[in-house]
Amino acid sequence: MLCLAAAVLVIVPTVDVLMTGPLRRWDQRLMLGPGGLEVTGWAHLFWRVVVMAGQFWLVGSIVTVTAVIVAFRHRSLKLFVAFGVWIIVLNVVVQVFKMIIGRTAPHSRADLLHAGTLSYPSGHAALGAACLLMTAALLSPDLAPRTARRVTLTAHVLALGASIATVLLAYHWPTDSIAGWALGVLLAIAGRYVVAYALRASRSA
């Protein structure tokens, strides 16, 4: 169900943005309306911290270190190689998607497509969701079921928080973050199957 929901939340906003549908008009009213969307004071500081969960240098480092440790623990070169391919594919897919749409960010005070800028989908949302959920997937096989569920839930909460923060801080339009989060979830689900396959292959070798 999560996979289906994520696929819908990638496709529908993308079509809507390209066709200037109601979601894109909602983006514009929310972000460019009177006063725009602005978070100040302690709330601004709070969301600046939360948005770090979408910083690739941070979550990418965390998931890479986790993959190295798990691969070493299971003596699985296949897992390490599979993870390496996954993280490369993750970055290529997100970057190509951004280049194809070429949307301007809210701080430009204009909503233009094919303008050579990289607002859609949100990289914070996509890479944050993918890396956090992949970290949970790597850790889960070695954890008790209840602990594994808690780790996965925490990853989901942090990923959603980073996605929301990008909008509240006016880094991205709402549809940027919705599609980015959903794309990250889809890529994380694919990564989870890659991890499971690599671990099974290592155990049977």
Side-chain angles (χ1 to χ4, degrees), residues 93-142:
V93 168
V94 172
Q95 192 67 18
V96 168
F97 206 153
K98 282 174 167 285
M99 292 172 65
I100 290 172
I101 305 297
R103 190 182 193 182
T104 54
H107 60 72
S108 70
R109 308 302 296 172
D111 183 7
L112 305 175
L113 300 181
H114 313 300
T117 47
L118 306 173
S119 184
Y120 187 98
S122 165
H124 277 79
L127 297 172
C131 291
L132 289 166
L133 293 174
M134 184 61 155
T135 301
L138 287 163
L139 293 172
S140 291
D142 296 322

Side-chain angles (χ1 to χ4, degrees), residues 15-26:
V15 172
D16 184 275
V17 165
L18 290 173
M19 297 182 67
T20 315
L23 292 176
R24 187 174 176 195
R25 293 196 295 273
W26 169 58

Side-chain angles (χ1 to χ4, degrees), residues 61 76 92 95 110 126 135 194 204:
S61 298
S76 177
V92 169
Q95 192 67 18
T135 301
V194 167
S204 62

Side-chain angles (χ1 to χ4, degrees), residues 130-198:
C131 291
L132 289 166
L133 293 174
M134 184 61 155
T135 301
L138 287 163
L139 293 172
S140 291
D142 296 322
L143 299 175
R146 179 177 293 182
T147 303
R149 286 193 294 269
R150 288 175 178 170
V151 168
T152 302
L153 178 60
T154 300
H156 277 294
V157 170
L158 289 173
L160 282 171
S163 301
I164 294 168
T166 63
V167 177
L168 294 179
L169 296 171
Y171 294 171
H172 287 284
W173 309 95
T175 48
D176 295 353
S177 291
I178 292 169
W181 171 83
L183 180 61
V185 169
L186 285 176
L187 291 166
I189 290 171
R192 186 176 65 185
Y193 283 107
V194 167
V195 168
Y197 173 80

